[in-house]
Amino acid sequence: MNNRRETAWRVFATELNSAAFEIEGNKDEMKPSYQLSRLGAIINRVLVAGVLTEKDNVGSDEEPMWRGRILDASSGTVFINVGRYQPEAAATMADIEVPCRVAVVGKVKSYSTDEGKTWISIRPERVVQIDEATHNEWLLDAAKSTWKRLLDMRKAIGQADRTPEGLMAAGLGELSARGVSMAIDQYGMPESAVYLKSIQTALRALLPDKNIDLGLPEDMADAPEEIDIEPQTSSPASGNSEDKEEIILQLLEDLDKEGKGAPREELEDEASSRGISPMELEEITNSLMDKGLVYEPNLRYLKRI
């Protein structure tokens, strides 16, 4: 059985809702399924942030089932569905007042209609109210990761050999090479202008006084399918990730007072006091779980191994 916890992708609604192709897992071996985006993201889990504009209990008072609508900075909509198997997220949805900023971590699900339309939604593990600074951090992360996938796709389009092996030889990482190769086979050339528009909208929200202009028309109906993208050097990562991992490992040990793990809320508070934001904490704990150093006894706790 595969116990490796999937990394939560940072994607805008425009890309997430394009992920119509499902890569089915092996149910006998408990392998997860994935949605393939048009930019080559192989998505099982996502971390999205935006404004929760609507919530509705489509179940009953005895057994609520919440449906929510989140508007992200790309002006795209993400739908979430929360049932009895997500008790922490369900409790939050019952209490939360709309509209408000939220971050959602959860698994991506797809549903195809008889007409061939595929709808994408998220089944949240957690729904958390966030402040503007945390939302802005997510905007920057999502913009940077979308930009990287655009550059990888641009590089792949120029290659004669678009197999995963050929793209790895051209400089793409293993996961990116596999996803981009499959995306080109499944969808063909992506319309880069749509995703550049998402990045432009996010950057305008982050830097309202800078007049960010990537050369896109305000009315996307007039946009060309392809916009030339020039690679740029990425900005250096802030802080030392290994040092921050050590901080989190020590906090997990210090906060584990009863032997059942560190409460997530306390971990977030302590991490924040050391300059580690909730978004960074999610990324660090994902990395530690991938390395086999941390696990989740349940959604409310994290425990050091």
Side-chain angles (χ1 to χ4, degrees):
M1 184 168 66
N2 182 7
N3 289 319
R4 183 180 182 275
R5 192 171 190 257
E6 299 289 336
T7 297
W9 291 79
R10 277 69 167 161
V11 291
F12 292 119
T14 44
E15 182 177 358
L16 181 61
N17 291 329
S18 79
F21 182 70
E22 181 180 5
I23 305 169
E24 294 187 3
N26 187 322
K27 291 182 173 58
D28 292 335
E29 298 179 16
M30 299 296 288
K31 290 184 177 179
S33 297
Y34 300 86
Q35 296 297 137
L36 177 68
S37 85
R38 291 179 182 268
L39 295 182
I42 304 174
I43 302 170
N44 175 259
R45 297 172 72 247
V46 290
L47 171 58
V48 300
V51 178
L52 180 67
T53 59
E54 300 174 24
K55 72 168 189 175
D56 187 24
N57 181 7
V58 296
S60 63
D61 291 339
E62 295 74 23
E63 192 168 317
M65 182 174 294
W66 295 97
R67 181 172 173 83
R69 175 176 177 153
I70 297 172
L71 185 67
D72 79 359
S74 69
S75 299
T77 296
V78 176
F79 290 100
I80 60 174
N81 291 293
V82 186
R84 61 178 176 177
Y85 297 114
Q86 299 86 40
E88 184 176 356
T92 301
M93 290 295 290
D95 295 337
I96 206 166
E97 296 290 336
V98 296
C100 64
R101 291 189 186 91
V102 296
V104 171
V105 180
K107 293 189 176 181
V108 176
K109 300 294 180 183
S110 64
Y111 168 74
S112 297
T113 67
D114 293 337
E115 294 76 28
K117 171 69 175 177
T118 299
W119 297 95
I120 304 295
S121 66
I122 301 171
R123 186 172 297 166
E125 299 160 9
R126 302 181 71 213
V127 178
V128 181
Q129 277 194 259
I130 58 174
D131 58 17
E132 183 179 7
T134 303
H135 181 237
N136 287 347
E137 184 182 343
W138 179 85
L139 283 177
L140 183 58
D141 284 347
K144 286 161 62 177
S145 62
T146 303
W147 179 252
K148 181 183 183 304
R149 288 191 290 280
L150 278 167
L151 292 182
D152 285 349
M153 181 62 73
R154 180 179 185 271
K155 180 180 285 188
I157 293 297
Q159 302 299 315
D161 182 359
R162 296 174 184 168
T163 64
E165 296 75 17
L167 295 182
M168 287 175 65
L172 272 66
E174 181 180 358
L175 181 60
S176 180
R178 187 157 58 92
V180 167
S181 179
M182 282 194 292
I184 293 172
D185 287 344
Q186 183 64 32
Y187 302 117
M189 175 86 75
E191 297 181 2
S192 63
V194 174
Y195 307 108
L196 283 170
K197 184 71 172 181
S198 296
I199 295 172
Q200 176 176 280
T201 304
L203 293 179
R204 285 179 174 178
L206 289 168
L207 302 167
D209 300 326
K210 298 297 183 181
N211 192 28
I212 302 295
D213 186 359
L214 300 183
L216 298 165
E218 295 305 317
D219 182 358
M220 287 302 289
D222 298 328
E225 291 187 357
E226 273 301 300
I227 302 290
D228 191 31
I229 305 168
E230 289 301 326
Q232 296 178 357
T233 56
S234 58
S235 58
S238 59
N240 186 308
S241 60
E242 292 182 1
D243 289 345
K244 290 182 178 180
E245 286 187 356
E246 286 300 321
I247 291 172
I248 298 306
L249 286 171
Q250 187 60 53
L251 285 176
L252 289 171
E253 194 171 307
D254 294 343
L255 295 172
D256 189 358
K257 303 280 196 327
E258 300 176 4
K260 60 182 181 181
R264 276 187 174 273
E265 289 186 4
E266 292 182 26
L267 180 63
E268 288 181 4
D269 290 343
E270 290 294 331
S272 179
S273 71
R274 289 161 173 77
I276 299 173
S277 70
M279 295 292 182
E280 270 190 299
L281 179 61
E282 172 71 18
E283 192 66 40
I284 292 167
T285 53
N286 277 342
S287 173
L288 291 172
M289 280 187 274
D290 289 345
K291 294 174 181 178
L293 300 175
V294 171
Y295 73 101
E296 287 181 310
N298 59 56
L299 289 176
R300 295 181 182 274
Y301 291 87
L302 283 169
K303 187 170 179 62
R304 183 171 183 175
I305 296 173

